[in-house]
Amino acid sequence: ETLAAASGEQDAACAAKADRAKAVAASATGEVAALLPADPPQSMRTLSFNGPEGKPTTLADIAGDGIGRTVLLNLWATWCAPCRAEMPALDTLEKEMGGKHFEVVAVNVDTGDDAKPKKFLSEIGVETLGFYRDATMGLFNDLKQRGLALGLPVTLLIDGEGCLLAHMNGPAEWASPDARKLIAAALDG
């Protein structure tokens, strides 16, 4: 089976989740009200970046086969003030809700080496988030081509089968009860 065919099948399986995407996005209120339903939901399984050990990984690797881990994928950079501001909240959300069925995957997209983003995370006391990285801008450009990323930060809510359910451009208060309610809705079903 070709990669394109597999990708087409995955997109078709995801597109069938339009009602689910609308339902999950409908639970995005208050602090996370800017979240939009995926229209149509599409497969994010091939998105690639470097994992915490610095090795190439894909969203499919993180979602896991069989486990079905829901992922809140966030792209950020040290030069982006709103990104910097929401990092502690993303760390708190991962601390409170992260585990076998859910992970906040915050991918740093600074160009250059790892020193600057690592120093920033250490300075602000991020303890729980894994260090995900893409220094090539490939991940951002992929999302931009799909019409999902206008700038930074950009956040995607992806279900356990790697289907995009909802997306947001701009920051949010991810440690809020509103954000926890949204994640709970994404996990329920």
Side-chain angles (χ1 to χ4, degrees):
E1 182 176 48
T2 67
L3 194 60
S7 177
E9 283 170 27
Q10 287 164 1
D11 278 341
C14 290
K17 299 183 179 195
D19 289 346
R20 172 113 180 90
K22 287 189 184 87
V24 169
S27 68
T29 56
E31 297 282 2
V32 291
L35 194 82
L36 301 171
D39 185 21
Q42 54 184 291
S43 179
M44 298 282 132
R45 291 176 63 80
T46 59
L47 293 182
S48 60
F49 39 88
N50 286 344
E53 299 82 37
K55 296 187 180 83
T57 188
T58 65
L59 193 80
D61 297 330
I62 294 168
D65 289 324
I67 301 170
R69 183 180 286 145
T70 297
V71 171
L72 188 74
L73 181 72
N74 174 275
L75 272 60
W76 68 281
T78 57
W79 46 261
C80 158
C83 301
R84 293 171 70 103
E86 73 177 359
M87 266 311 115
L90 286 164
D91 191 48
T92 299
L93 181 63
E94 172 63 17
K95 196 175 292 177
E96 291 177 355
M97 296 191 78
K100 191 167 111 177
H101 298 288
F102 174 71
E103 184 179 355
V104 176
V105 176
V107 183
N108 173 267
V109 296
D110 280 44
T111 53
D113 65 23
D114 292 356
K116 195 172 172 186
K118 279 190 166 167
K119 180 171 184 268
F120 167 69
L121 292 172
S122 146
E123 280 170 2
I124 62 165
V126 162
E127 294 167 4
T128 319
L129 293 174
F131 185 67
Y132 293 97
R133 187 104 158 80
D134 174 34
T136 69
M137 286 304 280
L139 179 59
F140 179 81
N141 289 333
D142 186 351
L143 296 178
K144 192 174 177 180
Q145 283 171 343
R146 295 175 188 238
L148 298 171
L150 308 174
L152 291 174
V154 60
T155 307
L156 310 178
L157 182 59
I158 302 163
D159 77 7
E161 291 173 348
C163 298
L164 177 67
L165 294 178
H167 57 98
M168 180 191 300
N169 275 276
E173 183 43 74
W174 292 109
S176 65
D178 293 329
R180 286 194 292 276
K181 186 183 92 179
L182 166 68
I183 301 308
L187 289 170
D188 183 31

PDB file of all heavy atoms in Angstrom, residues 10-26 36-42 159 163-166:
ATOM      1  N   GLN A  10      -6.673   7.357   5.935  1.00  0.00           N
ATOM      2  CA  GLN A  10      -6.684   7.976   7.266  1.00  0.00           C
ATOM      3  C   GLN A  10      -7.502   9.267   7.245  1.00  0.00           C
ATOM      4  O   GLN A  10      -8.290   9.525   8.146  1.00  0.00           O
ATOM      5  CB  GLN A  10      -5.254   8.250   7.742  1.00  0.00           C
ATOM      6  CG  GLN A  10      -4.524   6.982   8.135  1.00  0.00           C
ATOM      7  CD  GLN A  10      -3.009   7.175   8.234  1.00  0.00           C
ATOM      8  OE1 GLN A  10      -2.485   8.259   8.036  1.00  0.00           O
ATOM      9  NE2 GLN A  10      -2.308   6.094   8.533  1.00  0.00           N
ATOM     10  N   ASP A  11      -7.310  10.082   6.193  1.00  0.00           N
ATOM     11  CA  ASP A  11      -8.089  11.321   6.075  1.00  0.00           C
ATOM     12  C   ASP A  11      -9.580  11.019   5.974  1.00  0.00           C
ATOM     13  O   ASP A  11     -10.403  11.704   6.575  1.00  0.00           O
ATOM     14  CB  ASP A  11      -7.636  12.150   4.861  1.00  0.00           C
ATOM     15  CG  ASP A  11      -6.395  12.990   5.161  1.00  0.00           C
ATOM     16  OD1 ASP A  11      -6.104  13.221   6.352  1.00  0.00           O
ATOM     17  OD2 ASP A  11      -5.729  13.411   4.205  1.00  0.00           O
ATOM     18  N   ALA A  12      -9.932   9.971   5.202  1.00  0.00           N
ATOM     19  CA  ALA A  12     -11.343   9.592   5.050  1.00  0.00           C
ATOM     20  C   ALA A  12     -11.923   9.142   6.388  1.00  0.00           C
ATOM     21  O   ALA A  12     -13.040   9.526   6.751  1.00  0.00           O
ATOM     22  CB  ALA A  12     -11.485   8.494   4.000  1.00  0.00           C
ATOM     23  N   ALA A  13     -11.166   8.342   7.134  1.00  0.00           N
ATOM     24  CA  ALA A  13     -11.620   7.887   8.456  1.00  0.00           C
ATOM     25  C   ALA A  13     -11.796   9.079   9.391  1.00  0.00           C
ATOM     26  O   ALA A  13     -12.754   9.131  10.172  1.00  0.00           O
ATOM     27  CB  ALA A  13     -10.625   6.887   9.043  1.00  0.00           C
ATOM     28  N   CYS A  14     -10.897  10.044   9.293  1.00  0.00           N
ATOM     29  CA  CYS A  14     -10.986  11.240  10.137  1.00  0.00           C
ATOM     30  C   CYS A  14     -12.169  12.115   9.720  1.00  0.00           C
ATOM     31  O   CYS A  14     -12.889  12.640  10.573  1.00  0.00           O
ATOM     32  CB  CYS A  14      -9.691  12.046  10.072  1.00  0.00           C
ATOM     33  SG  CYS A  14      -8.284  11.240  10.880  1.00  0.00           S
ATOM     34  N   ALA A  15     -12.369  12.262   8.403  1.00  0.00           N
ATOM     35  CA  ALA A  15     -13.456  13.120   7.900  1.00  0.00           C
ATOM     36  C   ALA A  15     -14.817  12.655   8.405  1.00  0.00           C
ATOM     37  O   ALA A  15     -15.734  13.454   8.580  1.00  0.00           O
ATOM     38  CB  ALA A  15     -13.437  13.159   6.374  1.00  0.00           C
ATOM     39  N   ALA A  16     -14.927  11.354   8.674  1.00  0.00           N
ATOM     40  CA  ALA A  16     -16.181  10.801   9.190  1.00  0.00           C
ATOM     41  C   ALA A  16     -16.471  11.273  10.617  1.00  0.00           C
ATOM     42  O   ALA A  16     -17.551  11.027  11.150  1.00  0.00           O
ATOM     43  CB  ALA A  16     -16.127   9.274   9.150  1.00  0.00           C
ATOM     44  N   LYS A  17     -15.516  11.947  11.229  1.00  0.00           N
ATOM     45  CA  LYS A  17     -15.676  12.411  12.615  1.00  0.00           C
ATOM     46  C   LYS A  17     -16.100  13.874  12.711  1.00  0.00           C
ATOM     47  O   LYS A  17     -15.905  14.510  13.745  1.00  0.00           O
ATOM     48  CB  LYS A  17     -14.366  12.220  13.379  1.00  0.00           C
ATOM     49  CG  LYS A  17     -13.916  10.772  13.468  1.00  0.00           C
ATOM     50  CD  LYS A  17     -12.672  10.656  14.302  1.00  0.00           C
ATOM     51  CE  LYS A  17     -12.240   9.194  14.398  1.00  0.00           C
ATOM     52  NZ  LYS A  17     -11.262   9.003  15.480  1.00  0.00           N
ATOM     53  N   ALA A  18     -16.688  14.409  11.649  1.00  0.00           N
ATOM     54  CA  ALA A  18     -17.062  15.828  11.645  1.00  0.00           C
ATOM     55  C   ALA A  18     -17.995  16.184  12.805  1.00  0.00           C
ATOM     56  O   ALA A  18     -17.829  17.223  13.448  1.00  0.00           O
ATOM     57  CB  ALA A  18     -17.704  16.204  10.312  1.00  0.00           C
ATOM     58  N   ASP A  19     -18.976  15.314  13.086  1.00  0.00           N
ATOM     59  CA  ASP A  19     -19.909  15.593  14.185  1.00  0.00           C
ATOM     60  C   ASP A  19     -19.193  15.593  15.529  1.00  0.00           C
ATOM     61  O   ASP A  19     -19.467  16.416  16.399  1.00  0.00           O
ATOM     62  CB  ASP A  19     -21.057  14.567  14.209  1.00  0.00           C
ATOM     63  CG  ASP A  19     -22.010  14.765  13.028  1.00  0.00           C
ATOM     64  OD1 ASP A  19     -21.939  15.827  12.366  1.00  0.00           O
ATOM     65  OD2 ASP A  19     -22.824  13.852  12.777  1.00  0.00           O
ATOM     66  N   ARG A  20     -18.265  14.645  15.666  1.00  0.00           N
ATOM     67  CA  ARG A  20     -17.484  14.563  16.904  1.00  0.00           C
ATOM     68  C   ARG A  20     -16.639  15.827  17.083  1.00  0.00           C
ATOM     69  O   ARG A  20     -16.558  16.390  18.176  1.00  0.00           O
ATOM     70  CB  ARG A  20     -16.595  13.319  16.839  1.00  0.00           C
ATOM     71  CG  ARG A  20     -15.595  13.221  17.958  1.00  0.00           C
ATOM     72  CD  ARG A  20     -15.863  12.062  18.890  1.00  0.00           C
ATOM     73  NE  ARG A  20     -14.862  12.008  19.942  1.00  0.00           N
ATOM     74  CZ  ARG A  20     -14.965  12.632  21.099  1.00  0.00           C
ATOM     75  NH1 ARG A  20     -16.032  13.345  21.378  1.00  0.00           N
ATOM     76  NH2 ARG A  20     -14.025  12.551  22.009  1.00  0.00           N
ATOM     77  N   ALA A  21     -16.024  16.284  15.995  1.00  0.00           N
ATOM     78  CA  ALA A  21     -15.204  17.507  16.050  1.00  0.00           C
ATOM     79  C   ALA A  21     -16.057  18.701  16.482  1.00  0.00           C
ATOM     80  O   ALA A  21     -15.641  19.504  17.319  1.00  0.00           O
ATOM     81  CB  ALA A  21     -14.548  17.770  14.694  1.00  0.00           C
ATOM     82  N   LYS A  22     -17.255  18.802  15.917  1.00  0.00           N
ATOM     83  CA  LYS A  22     -18.164  19.909  16.287  1.00  0.00           C
ATOM     84  C   LYS A  22     -18.561  19.808  17.751  1.00  0.00           C
ATOM     85  O   LYS A  22     -18.629  20.817  18.455  1.00  0.00           O
ATOM     86  CB  LYS A  22     -19.415  19.896  15.402  1.00  0.00           C
ATOM     87  CG  LYS A  22     -19.152  20.364  13.977  1.00  0.00           C
ATOM     88  CD  LYS A  22     -20.464  20.533  13.209  1.00  0.00           C
ATOM     89  CE  LYS A  22     -20.214  20.905  11.751  1.00  0.00           C
ATOM     90  NZ  LYS A  22     -20.026  19.734  10.890  1.00  0.00           N
ATOM     91  N   ALA A  23     -18.829  18.588  18.211  1.00  0.00           N
ATOM     92  CA  ALA A  23     -19.242  18.390  19.606  1.00  0.00           C
ATOM     93  C   ALA A  23     -18.118  18.772  20.568  1.00  0.00           C
ATOM     94  O   ALA A  23     -18.348  19.449  21.574  1.00  0.00           O
ATOM     95  CB  ALA A  23     -19.670  16.942  19.836  1.00  0.00           C
ATOM     96  N   VAL A  24     -16.891  18.339  20.251  1.00  0.00           N
ATOM     97  CA  VAL A  24     -15.755  18.663  21.117  1.00  0.00           C
ATOM     98  C   VAL A  24     -15.514  20.173  21.109  1.00  0.00           C
ATOM     99  O   VAL A  24     -15.359  20.794  22.158  1.00  0.00           O
ATOM    100  CB  VAL A  24     -14.482  17.893  20.688  1.00  0.00           C
ATOM    101  CG1 VAL A  24     -13.247  18.430  21.405  1.00  0.00           C
ATOM    102  CG2 VAL A  24     -14.658  16.399  20.976  1.00  0.00           C
ATOM    103  N   ALA A  25     -15.527  20.778  19.930  1.00  0.00           N
ATOM    104  CA  ALA A  25     -15.294  22.223  19.828  1.00  0.00           C
ATOM    105  C   ALA A  25     -16.396  23.010  20.539  1.00  0.00           C
ATOM    106  O   ALA A  25     -16.144  24.089  21.074  1.00  0.00           O
ATOM    107  CB  ALA A  25     -15.171  22.648  18.371  1.00  0.00           C
ATOM    108  N   ALA A  26     -17.598  22.456  20.565  1.00  0.00           N
ATOM    109  CA  ALA A  26     -18.714  23.131  21.249  1.00  0.00           C
ATOM    110  C   ALA A  26     -18.469  23.202  22.761  1.00  0.00           C
ATOM    111  O   ALA A  26     -19.014  24.073  23.439  1.00  0.00           O
ATOM    112  CB  ALA A  26     -20.027  22.412  20.965  1.00  0.00           C
ATOM    113  N   LEU A  36     -11.554  26.212  17.204  1.00  0.00           N
ATOM    114  CA  LEU A  36     -12.488  25.965  16.103  1.00  0.00           C
ATOM    115  C   LEU A  36     -12.547  24.478  15.774  1.00  0.00           C
ATOM    116  O   LEU A  36     -11.520  23.795  15.822  1.00  0.00           O
ATOM    117  CB  LEU A  36     -12.015  26.711  14.843  1.00  0.00           C
ATOM    118  CG  LEU A  36     -11.875  28.221  14.963  1.00  0.00           C
ATOM    119  CD1 LEU A  36     -11.184  28.779  13.726  1.00  0.00           C
ATOM    120  CD2 LEU A  36     -13.242  28.863  15.165  1.00  0.00           C
ATOM    121  N   PRO A  37     -13.733  23.972  15.384  1.00  0.00           N
ATOM    122  CA  PRO A  37     -13.797  22.567  14.985  1.00  0.00           C
ATOM    123  C   PRO A  37     -13.037  22.347  13.682  1.00  0.00           C
ATOM    124  O   PRO A  37     -13.037  23.215  12.810  1.00  0.00           O
ATOM    125  CB  PRO A  37     -15.291  22.302  14.790  1.00  0.00           C
ATOM    126  CG  PRO A  37     -15.908  23.647  14.589  1.00  0.00           C
ATOM    127  CD  PRO A  37     -15.036  24.648  15.291  1.00  0.00           C
ATOM    128  N   ALA A  38     -12.401  21.205  13.550  1.00  0.00           N
ATOM    129  CA  ALA A  38     -11.718  20.847  12.302  1.00  0.00           C
ATOM    130  C   ALA A  38     -12.785  20.663  11.232  1.00  0.00           C
ATOM    131  O   ALA A  38     -13.785  20.003  11.460  1.00  0.00           O
ATOM    132  CB  ALA A  38     -10.934  19.562  12.492  1.00  0.00           C
ATOM    133  N   ASP A  39     -12.575  21.264  10.082  1.00  0.00           N
ATOM    134  CA  ASP A  39     -13.571  21.219   9.016  1.00  0.00           C
ATOM    135  C   ASP A  39     -12.885  21.026   7.663  1.00  0.00           C
ATOM    136  O   ASP A  39     -12.499  21.989   7.043  1.00  0.00           O
ATOM    137  CB  ASP A  39     -14.389  22.518   9.053  1.00  0.00           C
ATOM    138  CG  ASP A  39     -15.529  22.498   8.044  1.00  0.00           C
ATOM    139  OD1 ASP A  39     -15.925  21.388   7.616  1.00  0.00           O
ATOM    140  OD2 ASP A  39     -16.016  23.582   7.678  1.00  0.00           O
ATOM    141  N   PRO A  40     -12.724  19.783   7.213  1.00  0.00           N
ATOM    142  CA  PRO A  40     -13.104  18.545   7.903  1.00  0.00           C
ATOM    143  C   PRO A  40     -11.960  18.061   8.797  1.00  0.00           C
ATOM    144  O   PRO A  40     -10.816  18.480   8.619  1.00  0.00           O
ATOM    145  CB  PRO A  40     -13.299  17.571   6.745  1.00  0.00           C
ATOM    146  CG  PRO A  40     -12.242  18.003   5.762  1.00  0.00           C
ATOM    147  CD  PRO A  40     -12.167  19.513   5.886  1.00  0.00           C
ATOM    148  N   PRO A  41     -12.272  17.148   9.744  1.00  0.00           N
ATOM    149  CA  PRO A  41     -11.178  16.521  10.488  1.00  0.00           C
ATOM    150  C   PRO A  41     -10.258  15.790   9.510  1.00  0.00           C
ATOM    151  O   PRO A  41     -10.742  15.170   8.571  1.00  0.00           O
ATOM    152  CB  PRO A  41     -11.896  15.524  11.406  1.00  0.00           C
ATOM    153  CG  PRO A  41     -13.290  16.051  11.527  1.00  0.00           C
ATOM    154  CD  PRO A  41     -13.589  16.673  10.196  1.00  0.00           C
ATOM    155  N   GLN A  42      -8.950  15.896   9.714  1.00  0.00           N
ATOM    156  CA  GLN A  42      -7.977  15.246   8.826  1.00  0.00           C
ATOM    157  C   GLN A  42      -6.909  14.564   9.670  1.00  0.00           C
ATOM    158  O   GLN A  42      -6.751  14.887  10.845  1.00  0.00           O
ATOM    159  CB  GLN A  42      -7.344  16.284   7.884  1.00  0.00           C
ATOM    160  CG  GLN A  42      -6.727  17.467   8.611  1.00  0.00           C
ATOM    161  CD  GLN A  42      -6.191  18.528   7.669  1.00  0.00           C
ATOM    162  OE1 GLN A  42      -5.199  18.286   6.989  1.00  0.00           O
ATOM    163  NE2 GLN A  42      -6.805  19.691   7.642  1.00  0.00           N
ATOM    164  N   ASP A 159      -7.221  13.527  18.292  1.00  0.00           N
ATOM    165  CA  ASP A 159      -7.719  12.375  19.037  1.00  0.00           C
ATOM    166  C   ASP A 159      -6.763  11.189  18.995  1.00  0.00           C
ATOM    167  O   ASP A 159      -5.709  11.243  18.346  1.00  0.00           O
ATOM    168  CB  ASP A 159      -9.146  11.995  18.596  1.00  0.00           C
ATOM    169  CG  ASP A 159      -9.205  11.251  17.262  1.00  0.00           C
ATOM    170  OD1 ASP A 159      -8.156  10.883  16.695  1.00  0.00           O
ATOM    171  OD2 ASP A 159     -10.335  11.033  16.783  1.00  0.00           O
ATOM    172  N   CYS A 163      -6.588  11.950  14.485  1.00  0.00           N
ATOM    173  CA  CYS A 163      -7.455  12.854  13.720  1.00  0.00           C
ATOM    174  C   CYS A 163      -7.542  14.213  14.404  1.00  0.00           C
ATOM    175  O   CYS A 163      -7.786  14.294  15.612  1.00  0.00           O
ATOM    176  CB  CYS A 163      -8.859  12.278  13.606  1.00  0.00           C
ATOM    177  SG  CYS A 163      -8.949  10.709  12.732  1.00  0.00           S
ATOM    178  N   LEU A 164      -7.368  15.260  13.619  1.00  0.00           N
ATOM    179  CA  LEU A 164      -7.530  16.615  14.127  1.00  0.00           C
ATOM    180  C   LEU A 164      -9.004  16.849  14.446  1.00  0.00           C
ATOM    181  O   LEU A 164      -9.866  16.685  13.582  1.00  0.00           O
ATOM    182  CB  LEU A 164      -7.081  17.624  13.066  1.00  0.00           C
ATOM    183  CG  LEU A 164      -7.266  19.101  13.434  1.00  0.00           C
ATOM    184  CD1 LEU A 164      -6.337  19.491  14.572  1.00  0.00           C
ATOM    185  CD2 LEU A 164      -7.019  19.988  12.218  1.00  0.00           C
ATOM    186  N   LEU A 165      -9.300  17.216  15.698  1.00  0.00           N
ATOM    187  CA  LEU A 165     -10.677  17.527  16.090  1.00  0.00           C
ATOM    188  C   LEU A 165     -10.920  19.029  16.092  1.00  0.00           C
ATOM    189  O   LEU A 165     -11.991  19.494  15.719  1.00  0.00           O
ATOM    190  CB  LEU A 165     -10.980  16.968  17.483  1.00  0.00           C
ATOM    191  CG  LEU A 165     -10.998  15.446  17.620  1.00  0.00           C
ATOM    192  CD1 LEU A 165     -11.264  15.063  19.069  1.00  0.00           C
ATOM    193  CD2 LEU A 165     -12.026  14.814  16.690  1.00  0.00           C
ATOM    194  N   ALA A 166      -9.902  19.789  16.551  1.00  0.00           N
ATOM    195  CA  ALA A 166     -10.094  21.228  16.684  1.00  0.00           C
ATOM    196  C   ALA A 166      -8.730  21.920  16.689  1.00  0.00           C
ATOM    197  O   ALA A 166      -7.707  21.280  16.936  1.00  0.00           O
ATOM    198  CB  ALA A 166     -10.861  21.534  17.968  1.00  0.00           C
TER     199      ALA A 166
END
